[in-house]
Amino acid sequence: MLPLLTARALDEGGALATAIPGFAPRPAQQRLGVAIAEAMADREALIAEAGTGTGKTYAYLVPALLSGQRVIVSTGTKALQDQLYHRDLPKVREALGLGLRTALLKGRSNYLCLQRTELAKGTPVFSGREQIAQFGRIVAWGKRTRRGDLAEVADLPEDSPIRGLVSSTVENCLGSECPFWQDCFVVKARAEAQAADLVVINHHLLLADLAIKEEGFGEILPGASTFVLDEAHQLPELAAQFFGESVSARMLIDLSRDATGACAKVTGSLATVSPAVRELETAIRQLRLHCEGLPQRGTRALLLGHHAEMPDRLRALAAAMAGLADVAEGLKEAAPEFAAVLARLMLFQTRLRHWAEGVPGLLEVEAKAEPTTDDEEGDDNDHRAAHGEVRWFELSQRGFALSVTPLDVAGPLRRYREQSKAAWIFTSATLAVGADLGHIAWKLGLDAPRTLLQPSPFDWPAQALAYFPSGLPEPSARDYTERVVTAVRPVLEASKGRAFLLFTSHRALREAATLLEGGPWPLFVQGSAPRLQLIERFRASGNGVLLGAASFWEGVDVAGDALSVVVIDKLPFAAPDDPVLEARLEAVRRRGGNPFLAEQVPAAAIALKQGVGRLIRRHEDRGVLVLCDPRLLTKPYGRLFMASLPPLTRTRALADVQAFFAATHEATAAAIAGEAADDR
């Protein structure tokens, strides 16, 4: 019954066509909706790739709302989550005439914490006038907001340090001991979600719940009959983060600030707490100082072998954490804030010991790793620890993170899915490698899922041209980026700017930005302003050229004439020295597989599809895709990448690109002239 109701709602003359202005039935959307409805009715798993323009949001919202079941919809980003809940969901619900209860739920760090905001008022932690002004706006907004969602605060950057001061984490939340418990925005949001028929969350929150990283208010997932995961290609990498654990300088600095702030609640405690806090902060600085000269990311063995004093620095950090824990232990009965500090310290101590596991004597932790064979020695247990974990470090400008990451998340994902006894719908525009969904199914722990490949309904041969510049060297050549810019300049001249240049490294991005300075097009370079601000400036410019790296390859939607060219400098293979990737490749080798073909090529093919997907966003769009990497045409694996792309017309002739844009400009001029004539 549900598949039939879904088909009717999405058909010509159906509920959506009747009630939503501009809605046009699409056969691809209807097929996707019916496949989702069938999987929901049978409580089965479905992997569905739906190319750009299919309309997958409506395709899953219609059966989700018609099913009468409790449904969890999870998105890849908070921006998509807000768009889905505030724009798309109300339209579909109203069109179907359903009065179902819906809720929007985010992780606790997205909500104003009244207790921590009050604590911040009396703590001199702001580093400038801008932060003071931001805090003042948040305090004023906090008095009138109903939901407490920090996304409502205008001009508050996602990476603003103020967010950490006015929101809570599972570690620093006081729970029912909090004096603001009755007015807590997180408690209210969770209560609404528990009572709702359809809840819109994001993958971070979903995985936090699945990984039993309990946020302190009870689980939201039990009882759902269907889980719909949009942008599901992101799930394996995000799951690796959530099923792993880390302890970082930032976590410890935040903890030390909270310990100092808690002293306001207990007279005379500052004299006891301050020395322990100073000792911890000194240990953090000393450890970071001894990391100078290391790469940004690397294995635990690399960190420990970098400096003779590194083990001593780690032991000093552990001792400082223990010292502050002793102080908090003595004060925990005096104020709940100190009890929360102690709980966090105990958690971080456990994580640090786990990270040190397998290195005898490092933190007085015995080796617990599985025995290794003779040919597996070296790199100690970083890649071959018990349960398939990799231990590694990451450095920021002033901080560090020590992490333990599982190599395989298929097992945990499979267990949670089976325990739920629900339907699981995994959908995205980029799941297949070539026409094969086997890679993502294996990553998600799906043995025999239902599958659907629904190509984009766009007329790719007519709307887009793929240009492969001739004469470019291998990407390893020293002058590769310079040669790429030289090859791209005439394309930008033909298109009159209006281009995204996507790079696989920040070094290449910076070099290209320098080479393009002083040109006739306004340049927008990643890092020069917040991401959303750059995109808005680019869109408003009309002829801009935007240079971006990883975060601009997906989730960026610029439809229409503002974007007519997408340039990709290299195939987006992950950095080979990434410690987590190294460990995964080694695991494939030990299984007797080919790590390049089994791991690196599929991941890069999906990333390439994401970058290509920036070009054509609607039926009226036209544009040129410039693929600079000659390996696409010269290497055997290039065929797999090409098979993963839409069916664009291909050329190696610059004249074809110039003719494409000449025709586009003529068509635009004719349309403008026609509109002017109509006005007369």
Side-chain angles (χ1 to χ4, degrees):
M1 189 65 175
L2 182 59
L4 180 60
L5 291 173
T6 299
R8 287 175 177 170
L10 293 168
D11 206 351
E12 186 175 356
L16 270 64
T18 302
I20 299 178
F23 177 86
R26 310 174 198 178
Q29 184 183 60
Q30 190 178 55
R31 286 192 292 271
L32 176 61
V34 169
I36 291 172
E38 289 172 345
M40 291 176 64
D42 298 336
R43 299 286 181 99
E44 293 284 349
L46 168 69
I47 299 179
E49 177 175 285
T52 308
T54 302
K56 58 183 168 63
T57 302
Y58 285 6
Y60 62 68
L61 282 179
V62 168
L65 290 168
L66 289 174
S67 68
Q69 303 173 358
R70 185 164 192 262
V71 178
I72 305 288
V73 178
S74 181
T75 67
T77 63
K78 287 181 287 187
L80 181 58
Q81 185 184 5
D82 285 331
Q83 175 185 307
L84 178 65
Y85 186 78
H86 294 296
R87 190 187 73 181
D88 300 325
L89 179 57
K91 288 181 181 178
V92 177
R93 183 176 57 185
E94 185 176 344
L96 296 175
L98 299 172
L100 299 175
R101 294 169 296 179
T102 62
L104 175 70
L105 184 63
K106 301 179 181 179
R108 65 167 62 248
S109 64
N110 295 281
Y111 295 97
L112 181 72
C113 174
L114 299 171
Q115 187 268 340
R116 287 182 59 76
T117 302
E118 196 65 28
L119 198 65
K121 290 179 181 177
T123 309
V125 293
F126 305 111
S127 60
R129 291 181 179 178
E130 184 178 352
Q131 287 193 11
I132 294 172
Q134 284 181 355
F135 182 73
R137 289 201 303 273
I138 290 171
V139 170
W141 161 80
K143 295 176 181 177
R144 60 179 185 272
T145 180
R146 187 184 71 83
R147 299 184 58 86
D149 186 345
L150 290 169
E152 299 172 4
V153 183
D155 301 322
L156 180 64
E158 278 289 329
D159 58 353
S160 171
I162 297 295
R163 285 179 171 269
L165 296 173
V166 299
S167 62
S168 67
T169 66
V170 62
E171 293 89 8
N172 62 32
C173 175
L174 301 180
S176 58
E177 296 293 318
C178 179
F180 297 95
W181 173 262
Q182 296 298 325
D183 299 312
C184 177
F185 293 115
V186 178
V187 173
K188 292 178 180 178
R190 283 287 174 106
E192 286 183 15
Q194 289 281 11
D197 301 296
L198 187 148
V199 186
V200 180
I201 63 173
N202 58 60
H203 296 345
H204 288 80
L205 184 57
L206 172 75
L207 289 164
D209 203 287
L210 288 182
I212 320 181
K213 292 189 172 176
E214 177 50 48
E215 295 207 345
F217 297 102
E219 295 178 339
I220 61 162
L221 304 186
S225 299
T226 298
F227 294 86
V228 178
L229 281 71
D230 201 346
E231 302 299 310
H233 64 279
Q234 299 177 2
L235 204 64
E237 286 301 318
L238 288 173
Q241 297 174 27
F242 277 90
F243 291 131
E245 60 187 36
S246 66
V247 58
S248 69
R250 181 172 180 175
M251 291 177 182
L252 295 172
I253 291 294
D254 287 347
L255 183 146
S256 68
R257 287 176 176 170
D258 288 348
T260 301
C263 293
K265 299 294 182 73
V266 182
T267 304
S269 59
L270 189 61
T272 309
V273 171
S274 290
V277 164
R278 284 196 297 272
E279 184 179 350
L280 177 58
E281 292 178 345
T282 298
I284 293 168
R285 285 194 300 272
Q286 287 295 316
L287 177 55
R288 180 61 182 87
L289 182 65
H290 283 74
C291 291
E292 288 301 320
L294 283 167
Q296 184 180 359
R297 305 176 87 188
T299 63
R300 178 182 65 180
L302 181 62
L303 178 71
L304 295 177
H306 176 65
H307 196 290
E309 291 187 23
M310 192 61 74
D312 291 336
R313 294 302 100 213
L314 284 161
R315 281 190 281 269
L317 179 66
M321 291 166 67
L324 184 55
D326 288 341
V327 171
E329 176 72 37
L331 294 166
K332 67 179 183 180
E333 301 298 333
E337 287 82 359
F338 281 115
V341 165
L342 178 61
R344 288 160 69 191
L345 273 166
M346 293 174 68
L347 174 65
F348 296 157
Q349 285 175 306
T350 299
R351 291 181 180 178
L352 186 59
R353 285 194 294 269
H354 187 193
W355 185 85
E357 201 173 282
V359 183
L362 179 57
L363 293 180
E364 289 69 51
V365 180
E366 295 182 4
K368 296 181 182 178
E370 294 174 344
T372 59
T373 61
D374 291 341
D375 64 340
E376 288 180 343
E377 292 179 0
D379 220 10
D380 46 29
N381 294 294
D382 292 351
H383 290 182
R384 304 179 179 88
H387 314 303
E389 299 166 331
V390 55
R391 288 158 169 77
W392 56 289
F393 71 88
E394 183 169 24
L395 302 179
S396 57
Q397 187 173 5
R398 297 182 181 177
F400 58 83
L402 308 176
S403 301
V404 181
T405 301
L407 300 184
D408 179 19
V409 298
L413 288 174
R414 182 186 295 110
R415 285 195 298 274
Y416 291 123
R417 193 175 57 254
E418 290 174 350
Q419 290 169 8
S420 72
K421 301 188 184 305
W424 286 74
I425 313 299
F426 301 92
T427 186
S428 170
T430 55
L431 291 172
V433 180
D436 184 10
L437 290 164
H439 177 73
I440 190 67
W442 170 65
K443 287 277 189 181
L444 295 172
L446 293 163
D447 297 323
R450 298 183 182 187
T451 60
L452 177 69
L453 275 171
Q454 194 61 62
S456 168
F458 295 149
D459 186 355
W460 285 92
Q463 289 182 250
L465 180 68
Y467 172 49
F468 301 83
S470 58
L472 287 174
E474 288 289 304
S476 57
R478 292 175 62 87
D479 63 343
Y480 181 75
T481 300
E482 183 179 353
R483 299 276 292 276
V484 164
V485 171
T486 299
V488 167
R489 278 186 189 276
V491 178
L492 299 180
E493 290 167 359
S495 67
K496 300 179 182 178
R498 305 182 299 145
F500 272 10
L501 274 60
L502 302 179
F503 296 88
T504 57
S505 74
H506 288 276
R507 181 195 58 76
L509 184 153
R510 290 191 295 269
E511 183 181 348
T514 300
L515 291 168
L516 288 168
E517 277 182 359
W521 321 282
L523 283 187
F524 304 93
V525 182
Q526 181 177 345
S528 63
R531 181 170 177 263
L532 291 178
Q533 195 176 105
L534 271 182
I535 294 168
E536 286 306 314
R537 289 177 182 173
F538 169 83
R539 189 181 280 118
S541 73
N543 68 332
V545 174
L546 187 148
L547 283 68
S551 63
F552 282 84
W553 284 64
E554 64 175 295
V556 178
D557 191 353
V558 180
D561 294 338
L563 178 61
S564 295
V565 176
V566 169
V567 178
I568 293 177
D569 74 328
K570 298 178 185 177
L571 292 175
F573 289 112
D577 57 350
D578 179 274
V580 178
L581 177 61
E582 279 186 65
R584 287 177 183 158
L585 300 182
E586 180 60 26
V588 174
R589 288 190 196 98
R590 291 203 306 274
R591 293 197 301 266
N594 182 319
F596 181 67
L597 295 178
E599 188 75 36
Q600 291 173 282
V601 169
I606 289 174
L608 179 65
K609 289 171 70 172
Q610 282 290 332
V612 171
R614 299 313 97 213
L615 183 62
I616 303 296
R617 306 301 300 174
R618 63 184 188 184
H619 288 276
E620 298 80 16
D621 290 350
R622 285 171 54 83
V624 170
L625 172 68
V626 184
L627 295 169
C628 299
D629 196 326
R631 294 175 294 181
L632 278 165
L633 303 177
T634 61
K635 300 293 185 184
Y637 58 79
R639 290 192 293 271
L640 187 58
F641 284 94
M642 297 303 294
S644 300
L645 298 181
L648 303 88
T649 302
R650 302 174 187 175
T651 185
R652 303 210 72 181
L654 177 61
D656 290 339
V657 175
Q658 293 166 332
F660 180 93
F661 282 118
T664 300
H665 297 325
E666 288 176 9
T668 301
I672 293 173
E675 289 175 4
D678 291 342
D679 290 341
R680 291 195 297 271

